[in-house]
Amino acid sequence: MIRTRLAGFGLAYFFVMGVVASYWPVWLQSRGVDGAEIGTIYMARQVVTVAATLAAGWVVHRFVGQRTAMLAMACAGIAAMTLYEVAWGFWALLAVTLARGALWEPLLSQNESIVVSVTRERGIDYGRLRIWSSLAFIAGVFGVGLVVSRFGVPWVLYLMLLGSLLVVLAILLSPRPTIAAPGAAPAKPLSVRALLRQPAFLLVLVAAGCSQASHAVLGSFGTISWRAAGISDLVISALWIESVAIEIGLFVVAGALTRRIGPVGMLTLGATTGIVRWLAMPWLGTDLAALVVLQALHAGTFGATHLGAIAFLQRAIPAASMTQAQSLYYALSSGLIGALVFQLAGTLYERFGGLAYLAMAGLSGISLLACLA
């Protein structure tokens, strides 16, 4: 039962992520924005996400219960998303995206702090629990591809809203971690400054952040470029599904693999896989046979990277500080680095097309250097 409650949020949230990751740029394009403007919208969302995620972590620690804060953010975020229905053009879409980023995006780091703490307390394999989130992502990708092929691009937004409503239910059912052992005095949480003074923690943020941000060109323009190359919507959905299905295989063996090579080994695997993947994309990124191979590398570029970072947090961060640590991880690693790279990705793609992936290979190289350090 505890596993079901832990998995519920991931099922709903990652269904929405599957919808957004594969077809949101297409939906934005249908509302009258070009490639560079899509990059700016993604960057702006990331920037506001950084501030909002850090602020949410601070507020939860000091003033409001975690579940109360998450429910408030989720409901307000859904209200903001409904405004997309009447938003057309760059400035209107940007305004709604900023509101959504501030209210919705911090939910993931808050939930992850619960999941990481409870899995550590109960001895639950995080990787195997994460499988359900990946299956939900696949359902979102497959569902949106099927629906768009039959009913059109506007249904991207409607599926996103449906999944978002399920997130609220999952928050209500989520368990609460035990911060201190029964009878023990609650541990004092580490401050943000204390966490950021730890060299290993900073290097993990850089390694994970650069690897995750290296997906910017693919996430922003993969579907657009595949459509332009004549690949059908259902095949595009299958390519996104394949990448996550292979990732699930990694999650099944994640516990044993992480024990063998350690968190830094997992991060290194993600970085090296990224170098290979992004160096190949400029020349093979619209060849269907090659894409089947390259999409399988997602298990390394995202899966191994995320699992390595989470394994580090589980081993290095006390329960009382997990919310702050997760907020920093998502805000600075996934958020700040991603914000800068999304803007760069849009500009590079508009000017150089598929050669923009070479910059993503450079990011994976920086991640590898952080791992070695």
Side-chain angles (χ1 to χ4, degrees):
M1 184 61 182
I2 188 71
R3 286 177 171 83
T4 302
R5 293 168 64 196
L6 281 173
F9 181 93
L11 282 167
Y13 192 92
F14 279 86
F15 174 85
V16 176
M17 285 189 69
V19 172
V20 172
S22 54
Y23 271 85
W24 193 241
V26 176
W27 188 90
L28 289 173
Q29 195 176 51
S30 75
R31 291 298 179 107
V33 294
D34 60 29
E37 289 172 335
I38 289 174
T40 300
I41 287 172
Y42 270 69
M43 180 204 69
R45 185 198 68 188
Q46 291 291 98
V47 169
V48 76
T49 295
V50 171
T53 300
L54 291 173
W58 182 77
V59 168
V60 166
H61 255 299
R62 292 179 177 270
F63 301 111
V64 182
Q66 193 166 42
R67 184 175 297 177
T68 301
M70 290 177 69
L71 282 172
M73 288 188 294
C75 292
I78 291 171
M81 286 180 217
T82 61
L83 297 176
Y84 275 124
E85 182 66 14
V86 294
W88 292 83
F90 172 72
W91 290 108
L93 291 168
L94 178 63
V96 178
T97 298
L98 290 176
R100 176 180 180 266
L103 296 165
W104 186 261
E105 302 298 337
L107 290 173
L108 183 57
S109 68
Q110 291 298 315
N111 183 72
E112 281 290 273
S113 72
I114 295 172
V115 173
V116 171
S117 295
V118 174
T119 53
R120 179 169 58 185
E121 291 169 9
R122 304 294 183 95
I124 298 171
D125 187 325
Y126 173 88
R128 297 202 172 195
L129 187 70
R130 188 63 167 69
I131 288 171
W132 297 105
S133 297
S134 296
L135 289 172
F137 186 93
I138 289 175
V141 171
F142 179 78
V144 72
L146 182 63
V147 169
V148 167
S149 68
R150 297 189 65 178
F151 302 111
V153 172
W155 275 84
V156 176
L157 175 62
Y158 306 148
L159 282 181
M160 185 175 79
L161 287 168
L162 174 62
S164 299
L165 291 172
L166 296 177
V167 169
V168 175
L169 176 62
I171 293 171
L172 289 170
L173 297 175
S174 65
R176 298 180 182 181
T178 303
I179 300 301
K188 183 179 180 180
L190 296 172
S191 67
V192 169
R193 181 179 299 179
L195 287 168
L196 292 178
R197 283 178 177 174
Q198 305 300 317
F201 182 64
L202 288 175
L203 287 168
V204 165
L205 293 184
V206 172
C210 287
S211 276
Q212 290 168 347
S214 72
H215 295 82
V217 173
L218 181 68
S220 297
F221 304 104
T223 297
I224 290 173
S225 65
W226 297 340
R227 275 186 142 205
I231 300 174
S232 72
D233 287 317
L234 286 178
V235 172
I236 289 171
S237 291
L239 286 169
W240 286 107
I241 289 169
E242 179 217 347
S243 67
V244 184
I246 298 296
E247 178 183 283
I248 289 173
L250 175 67
F251 289 155
V252 170
V253 301
L257 183 60
T258 304
R259 285 191 295 271
R260 185 175 182 85
I261 67 175
V264 177
M266 295 292 281
L267 288 166
T268 302
L269 176 61
T272 53
T273 306
I275 292 172
V276 174
R277 186 183 188 185
W278 308 130
L279 284 178
M281 283 296 288
W283 295 276
L284 301 174
T286 55
D287 179 270
L288 186 56
L291 279 172
V292 171
V293 177
L294 293 173
Q295 284 296 92
L297 297 181
H298 188 75
T301 56
F302 176 80
T305 297
H306 180 66
L307 290 170
I310 293 299
F312 173 86
L313 294 177
Q314 283 182 318
R315 297 184 185 191
I317 305 298
S321 302
M322 189 59 73
T323 299
Q324 288 281 54
Q326 286 283 353
S327 295
L328 288 170
Y329 168 57
Y330 278 96
L332 301 183
S333 180
S334 301
L336 182 60
I337 297 175
L340 299 174
V341 175
F342 271 120
Q343 179 62 65
L344 176 66
T347 302
L348 290 177
Y349 189 83
E350 278 290 297
R351 184 169 297 182
F352 301 110
L355 291 175
Y357 284 107
L358 297 180
M360 304 301 100
L363 280 174
S364 295
I366 294 172
S367 176
L368 180 58
L369 291 175
C371 292
L372 295 174

